[in-house]
Amino acid sequence: ESSLTQVNLLAESLTLSGNSITTRQPVARMQRMEDVVTTDTPDAVHEHLVADFIVPNSHYEENKSYPFKLKIHGGAVQTFSRPNFLRSAIVVASNEACTGGVGVLRAVTELGGPSLLSAVEAKPTAAHSTFGTIRCLAGDAIIVGPGESGEEFEESEEYGQVKTPYIIFAVAPWSEAENEDHSLLFLRSAYFSALEKAKEAKLEAVAFSLLGANKRGGVHWKKAVRTGFDTIARYPGYQELKEVHVYAFASREVEELIMASKEYDFLEKTADTTS
């Protein structure tokens, strides 16, 4: 059989309209069930804050959105911790199974241990393929954690050594997408879906690993970085959201994030490495 399996994705063709992302017609695409890989070695083992902003800006506030802090870090997202926020999450660049893999997915899977694996395996199955179980389609995200719906919050068993009570798995497009523009829509959808999962769980702080910025992504790494940043920057926020963090492994990715941030009318704060 072909190494590709066709999956039908409903309403994954996206457009930005003001502050919101709206869906259009259903589309179909080919998706490979493989591991997410990273192409760069971290420039530093420990994370470091390199930029700190307040978003949305005044233009978005006029549209009654909720301001939140946006922080850019160099390092690995699994180092993120916000113990003063009961509702916080890391967003993991994932494969469709949401387990195993390499890079940040493998690191988080190993840190989470059996409790995380059980939580992921308990999620509904989206589809099956010759490559295994599909729990999350490209352009979408799933969340595990206590009170995922946001209606109730109860302390539960921690996910091993993961430092947040919630984990969001987001799946970026692969290089087999029909074209780069199409891939960018799926990538934007993955970021937006992760933020919407955070909203449903009423999360206060969310930390992203970069999605789709590796060599097997469906777009050039610079466009992947820019698209992710733009989606977050345009997100209108929600009442509970206080902070969004973006973690980049490689120095070139950090530099690209900083360059991207200069295109927005953010209120910049002085970077505080203790934040």
Side-chain angles (χ1 to χ4, degrees), residues 147-160:
E148 296 166 16
S149 66
E151 297 175 357
E152 298 180 358
F153 182 88
E154 297 180 359
E155 294 294 334
S156 66
E157 181 183 5
E158 295 179 350
Y159 297 130

Side-chain angles (χ1 to χ4, degrees), residues 68-275:
F68 56 86
K69 294 180 180 179
L70 174 58
K71 299 173 182 283
I72 299 172
H73 302 256
V77 73
Q78 58 267 31
T79 64
F80 175 75
S81 176
R82 272 293 181 266
N84 54 319
F85 291 155
L86 290 178
R87 292 185 175 274
S88 61
I90 57 175
V91 180
V92 179
S94 180
N95 58 28
E96 292 174 308
C98 301
T99 58
V102 295
V104 65
L105 177 59
R106 170 159 292 185
V108 171
T109 298
E110 292 177 351
L111 288 172
S115 59
L116 176 57
L117 182 60
S118 296
V120 170
E121 290 181 341
K123 302 299 290 185
T125 298
H128 291 281
S129 77
T130 56
F131 301 99
T133 299
I134 298 175
R135 296 185 178 89
C136 184
L137 299 173
D140 204 355
I142 65 170
I143 184 172
V144 297
E148 296 166 16
S149 66
E151 297 175 357
E152 298 180 358
F153 182 88
E154 297 180 359
E155 294 294 334
S156 66
E157 181 183 5
E158 295 179 350
Y159 297 130
Q161 300 178 57
V162 177
K163 299 177 180 180
T164 58
Y166 295 82
I167 301 171
I168 298 172
F169 299 88
V171 182
W174 294 91
S175 57
E176 286 80 10
E178 288 84 350
N179 56 62
E180 187 176 63
D181 288 340
H182 196 188
S183 291
L184 287 171
L185 295 176
F186 276 83
L187 181 60
R188 195 177 291 276
S189 175
Y191 275 96
F192 184 75
S193 296
L195 289 165
E196 287 296 280
K197 292 297 181 184
K199 181 179 180 179
E200 291 172 8
K202 300 180 180 179
L203 301 188
E204 300 167 281
V206 183
F208 279 85
S209 59
L210 288 176
L211 309 179
N214 56 74
K215 67 180 181 180
R216 293 188 186 179
V219 297
H220 188 274
W221 71 269
K222 284 188 177 182
K223 289 186 178 180
V225 170
R226 293 274 181 148
T227 297
F229 188 88
D230 182 71
T231 306
I232 295 171
R234 290 176 180 269
Y235 188 68
Y238 52 88
Q239 185 172 0
E240 295 82 7
L241 184 62
K242 307 280 193 308
E243 300 176 356
V244 176
H245 301 250
V246 182
Y247 280 75
F249 251 11
S251 58
R252 68 177 188 178
E253 295 167 344
V254 174
E255 292 168 1
E256 195 67 25
L257 286 168
I258 297 299
M259 290 177 62
S261 70
K262 297 181 184 302
E263 299 177 5
Y264 298 83
D265 185 23
F266 293 151
L267 174 61
E268 185 169 4
K269 299 174 62 180
T270 301
D272 179 1
T273 56
T274 62
S275 297

Side-chain angles (χ1 to χ4, degrees), residues 50-84:
V50 294
D52 193 355
F53 308 97
I54 299 293
V55 297
N57 60 28
S58 59
H59 170 73
Y60 297 136
E61 290 172 7
E62 290 172 2
N63 290 327
K64 298 182 179 180
S65 59
Y66 296 90
F68 56 86
K69 294 180 180 179
L70 174 58
K71 299 173 182 283
I72 299 172
H73 302 256
V77 73
Q78 58 267 31
T79 64
F80 175 75
S81 176
R82 272 293 181 266
N84 54 319

